Amino acid sequence: MKVKVKPEDLGSEKLSWLCVEPMLISVRGKDVAAKVEVYRQLHEGQQAIFLFYSYHNHTKSLAEFYWFSAYNIIDMKSWEGIKNGMRYFNQNEMVTLLDDIEGLITDQNKVGDTWREVLSTDLEKDPILLQRTEELYIKYRATAQEAILHMNEIIRQNQEMYLENSSVT
């Protein structure tokens, strides 16, 4: 599933997003089976970008970052896939940070083999959790920006894998 982008988008900071936007929009609001079906039609690099943005686009605020991290770890079981995607793009700093985020979520919400319900309001009730989450969020925003720039560059170098009419330069 290659995408068509305008020539001016090749230099855009949104290039990696543009490569998965149609796929993610097509499954918005649909069940997990529909999402998995689209995901399986993608090659490894596209899958990495798909999972990254399915998470990253829900990290616009501290509460969203906390809740969607937990959601991807506990409910969607997509966290390992997100980390593997970052490994695919050699984003080891991001993988380490994702491990740290997973540690925070696990420490806070797992009791034995049972997960407690995670609420976005958890941060309001626990100042230590709030501080730890803020620290990780600040690191995440910077590291995610670096990962996006790197993915964009890989896409530019391998246009034939991601873009229709990749002869456009």
Side-chain angles (χ1 to χ4, degrees):
M1 291 183 144
K2 296 179 185 179
V3 296
K4 191 172 205 141
V5 298
K6 298 173 191 157
E8 60 268 22
D9 288 334
L10 282 175
S12 170
E13 283 191 25
K14 294 182 178 185
L15 180 60
S16 54
W17 163 244
L18 294 173
C19 286
V20 294
E21 180 183 26
M23 296 84 154
L24 283 169
I25 288 175
S26 76
V27 298
R28 186 178 289 157
K30 295 192 176 171
D31 64 11
V32 174
K35 293 174 182 176
V36 169
E37 183 181 327
V38 168
Y39 175 81
R40 287 189 176 148
Q41 295 175 39
L42 306 175
H43 66 68
E44 190 175 6
Q46 291 170 314
Q47 288 176 345
I49 298 168
F50 181 93
L51 286 179
F52 171 78
Y53 278 106
S54 69
Y55 169 66
H56 179 73
N57 286 352
H58 294 95
T59 61
K60 303 288 186 240
S61 71
L62 187 63
E64 273 187 323
F65 170 75
Y66 173 74
W67 192 88
F68 271 95
S69 296
Y71 177 69
N72 279 277
I73 292 165
I74 301 166
D75 296 326
M76 289 298 291
K77 311 269 191 259
S78 58
W79 202 250
E80 202 57 42
I82 296 168
K83 291 193 303 188
N84 286 338
M86 292 297 96
R87 285 185 191 101
Y88 176 85
F89 284 106
N90 296 312
Q91 293 299 294
N92 297 325
E93 185 179 347
M94 178 62 90
V95 173
T96 300
L97 180 56
L98 293 170
D99 283 338
D100 293 345
I101 294 166
E102 183 177 6
L104 171 77
I105 298 299
T106 302
D107 291 350
Q108 187 67 28
N109 299 295
K110 192 169 187 182
V111 181
D113 289 336
T114 306
W115 289 95
R116 72 168 197 82
E117 182 180 4
V118 177
L119 305 171
S120 59
T121 56
D122 291 347
L123 298 174
E124 299 166 14
K125 299 172 185 168
D126 186 336
I128 294 169
L129 174 63
L130 176 62
Q131 180 185 359
R132 287 180 65 201
T133 304
E134 282 177 335
E135 290 167 1
L136 289 172
Y137 185 58
I138 290 166
K139 287 180 190 173
Y140 173 79
R141 298 302 297 169
T143 306
Q145 188 57 38
E146 290 173 22
I148 289 167
L149 294 174
H150 180 74
M151 289 186 291
N152 291 345
E153 190 54 37
I154 296 298
I155 292 164
R156 283 185 202 101
Q157 293 171 7
N158 300 280
Q159 293 179 36
E160 69 285 350
M161 292 176 61
Y162 298 92
L163 308 175
E164 286 183 16
N165 302 325
S166 62
S167 60
V168 176
T169 53

